[in-house]
Amino acid sequence: QQLKETQRIIAPLKQQNELLKERYSTLKQAHQARIKNGFAQDTFSSKYNSAMMKVKEIARDLSKQEVQSLRNRISSLERKAKSDAEYILDLKQRLIAAAKAAEFRYGEAESKIPRLENELLETRQKMSRMVKNYESKLIRQSKRLDQLQAEEMRTLNVS
C-alpha cells in the first residue's frame, strides 16, 4: 500500500521530471544555437571590421596619392605662373625702356629739326649762289669762247 502511495506520488514527479528534461534539452539546444549564432555574428563582425579597415586603408592611400598628385600639379602651376609673371614683368620693363628710348630719340630728332632746316636753307642758298657763279662763269667763258672763235675766224680770213 505504501508502495502504491509512493508510486502515485512519484508518477507526477516523474512526469514533471520528463517535462523538465525536455525543457532542459530544448533550452540547451536553443542556447547552443545562440552560441553558434553569436560566434557566427562575431566572425562576421570581425571579418566585416577587417574588410572595412582594409577599405579605409585603401581609401586613405588613394586619397594620399590624389592629394600628392594635386599638390604636385598646384606646385607646377605656381612655378609656371611665377615664370609667366616674371616674363611679363620683363616684357613690360623692356617696353617701358623702348618707349623711353623712342621718346628720347624723338626729342633729339625734334630738337635737330630747326638746325637741320637752317642748314638746308643755307645749303640751298649756297647752291643757288654756286649755280649763279657757274652760270656767270659759263656765260663769261661762252663769251670768251665766242671772242676766241671770232678772232680765229678773223685770223683765218686775214691769212
Side-chain angles (χ1 to χ4, degrees), residues 6-156:
T6 307
Q7 283 180 351
R8 187 180 58 86
I9 292 174
I10 291 180
L13 289 175
K14 278 185 181 180
Q15 273 185 336
Q16 195 177 12
N17 189 24
E18 285 300 319
L19 281 172
L20 286 174
K21 279 183 185 178
E22 280 182 30
R23 280 187 182 169
Y24 174 74
S25 174
T26 304
L27 286 174
K28 187 176 177 182
Q29 286 176 357
H31 181 68
Q32 286 176 350
R34 282 188 193 141
I35 289 173
K36 273 187 180 178
N37 285 340
F39 281 132
Q41 284 180 350
D42 283 349
T43 304
F44 173 78
S45 292
S46 174
K47 287 182 181 179
Y48 179 79
N49 285 337
S50 175
M52 288 307 292
M53 290 300 281
K54 286 181 183 176
V55 167
K56 282 181 184 178
E57 287 177 25
I58 291 170
R60 191 176 304 121
D61 289 344
L62 288 174
S63 70
K64 282 181 185 177
Q65 289 174 357
E66 186 66 23
V67 165
Q68 188 60 42
S69 172
L70 289 173
R71 283 184 181 153
N72 291 342
R73 180 84 173 118
I74 288 170
S75 176
S76 170
L77 290 173
E78 284 174 344
R79 285 191 303 274
K80 184 167 177 15
K82 183 179 179 185
S83 172
D84 289 351
E86 290 171 354
Y87 181 71
I88 289 170
L89 180 63
D90 184 49
L91 287 177
K92 281 182 182 177
Q93 290 172 345
R94 287 182 187 181
L95 181 63
I96 290 170
K100 285 181 181 178
E103 210 173 287
F104 177 74
R105 281 190 226 113
Y106 178 78
E108 279 186 336
E110 199 172 53
S111 68
K112 289 179 183 178
I113 289 174
R115 182 178 52 87
L116 291 173
E117 284 176 340
N118 285 338
E119 285 179 13
L120 182 63
L121 182 63
E122 288 174 8
T123 304
R124 281 184 182 162
Q125 289 172 351
K126 281 181 186 176
M127 294 271 292
S128 177
R129 282 191 300 256
M130 285 173 67
V131 166
K132 285 180 184 177
N133 283 342
Y134 285 127
E135 283 177 349
S136 67
K137 278 184 183 178
L138 188 59
I139 291 172
R140 278 183 294 190
Q141 286 181 358
S142 180
K143 284 181 183 178
R144 175 83 174 129
L145 183 63
D146 286 344
Q147 287 174 356
L148 287 174
Q149 282 178 348
E151 277 181 33
E152 198 173 310
M153 288 295 248
R154 273 185 250 141
T155 310
L156 284 178

